[in-house]
Amino acid sequence: MPNELICYADSDVLFRPGWLPASLQVLQAFPKAGMVGAQPNFYDVMEGEGQAHQALHFDPEYRFGDYWPDQGTVDEYCFGIGANDELAAKFHNTPLPALTHQPSDTQAILGASQMPFRIPRQVARQVVPLPATRGLLRAETMSLDHKIDQLGYLHLSTPRAHVFHMGNTVNERLLQEVEQITAIPASHETARKRAPARASRTQRWLTSLAKRPRFQRLLLRAYNLLFRVLYSESQEK
């Protein structure tokens, strides 16, 4: 792609007005930013292995600290990922690691997810090609993050939620916000019709079962087997 800045997003992401200026502000304040998200990142996707930010501990222009997102931001994030009460409580009671560029007074959250992100073209061209032999193999999905970090580029996010991960769910609250952004009326009746059907007892049982590590590994093996079969068929065509 010829673009200087490339944006990736899942299909269930709502972009709010101001998301791009906020992202550009972080990119401009942190020249070594390799991946920038437009909402606070609550997970350490690098699982403690990230090293790129360590060099800034010796740079007087930058200051490390904690950032406490407001309750609404945390609730919204938990809704998007379907967090249970225990995980939600953890997010509410744990500050996020923050980094401030002191000359411009620009603050960013350390970490960024692959759900929506901006990546400079020169960084993107250094990390490709990426492996894709299986559909959900974590080592492959994380290769983008590891390559960016190994090149010395930062994973950063904006402190405010300029995007909303809808979690494949349409409800009245979401439709009201879309109406405010687009000025297109959305009635309560429309919201009711578009609301997802309540999961069946079997579906809820399978969802609970899928959270167990042993069963989850079994499902991933089946998924990856289907991925290889379907991919090989498409290649033959």
Side-chain angles (χ1 to χ4, degrees):
M1 296 180 67
N3 310 62
E4 292 294 332
L5 185 64
I6 298 169
C7 175
Y8 169 84
D10 288 358
S11 60
D12 60 342
V13 174
L14 172 68
F15 285 82
R16 291 166 168 149
W19 70 269
L20 182 56
S23 301
L24 292 177
Q25 183 179 3
V26 172
L27 284 163
Q28 292 166 359
F30 301 89
K32 293 297 288 184
M35 179 186 286
V36 175
Q39 72 168 164
N41 183 66
F42 288 80
Y43 278 109
D44 178 9
V45 295
M46 298 294 292
E47 298 180 338
E49 297 180 4
Q51 296 297 317
H53 66 281
Q54 297 293 347
L56 298 183
H57 281 287
F58 307 100
D59 191 327
E61 287 195 357
Y62 298 95
R63 183 182 72 252
F64 289 81
D66 292 336
Y67 175 79
W68 289 91
D70 62 77
Q71 181 175 340
T73 298
V74 181
D75 288 341
E76 183 176 274
Y77 181 83
C78 291
F79 172 82
I81 65 171
N84 57 32
D85 293 341
E86 181 180 357
L87 184 58
K90 176 182 177 181
F91 288 148
H92 277 289
N93 295 306
T94 305
L96 302 177
L99 182 63
T100 301
H101 179 242
Q102 299 188 94
S104 64
D105 195 29
T106 300
Q107 188 178 46
I109 305 301
L110 282 173
S113 73
Q114 294 182 7
M115 183 264 297
F117 66 86
R118 267 58 56 200
I119 183 171
R121 180 180 62 182
Q122 72 270 17
V123 178
R125 290 185 174 180
Q126 293 180 69
V127 299
V128 293
L130 296 169
T133 60
R134 297 186 180 184
L136 288 176
L137 188 64
R138 181 167 176 77
E140 292 187 351
T141 60
M142 292 298 297
S143 61
L144 171 64
D145 299 279
H146 286 291
K147 283 190 174 184
I148 288 176
D149 185 74
Q150 290 165 3
L151 289 167
Y153 292 104
L154 302 168
H155 289 65
L156 298 173
S157 301
T158 60
R160 290 183 53 197
H162 295 279
V163 298
F164 173 35
H165 180 210
M166 297 178 284
N168 295 309
T169 301
V170 176
N171 57 19
E172 293 192 43
R173 175 184 173 279
L174 174 61
L175 289 176
Q176 289 172 1
E177 181 170 359
V178 170
E179 180 178 347
Q180 292 176 353
I181 295 174
T182 64
I184 299 175
S187 67
H188 292 285
E189 179 65 18
T190 302
R192 186 187 65 79
K193 290 180 180 179
R194 294 185 182 181
R198 180 177 175 82
S200 66
R201 180 178 300 179
T202 301
Q203 183 178 345
R204 294 198 299 272
W205 176 76
L206 288 172
T207 300
S208 175
L209 193 62
K211 294 178 181 179
R212 299 180 181 180
R214 183 177 299 179
F215 192 75
Q216 189 177 71
R217 288 193 295 269
L218 179 63
L219 288 177
L220 286 175
R221 288 174 187 168
Y223 182 96
N224 284 317
L225 175 61
L226 289 172
F227 180 86
R228 289 197 299 271
V229 171
L230 294 172
Y231 182 75
S232 63
E233 289 182 354
S234 65
Q235 288 294 90
E236 291 173 0
K237 294 177 181 179

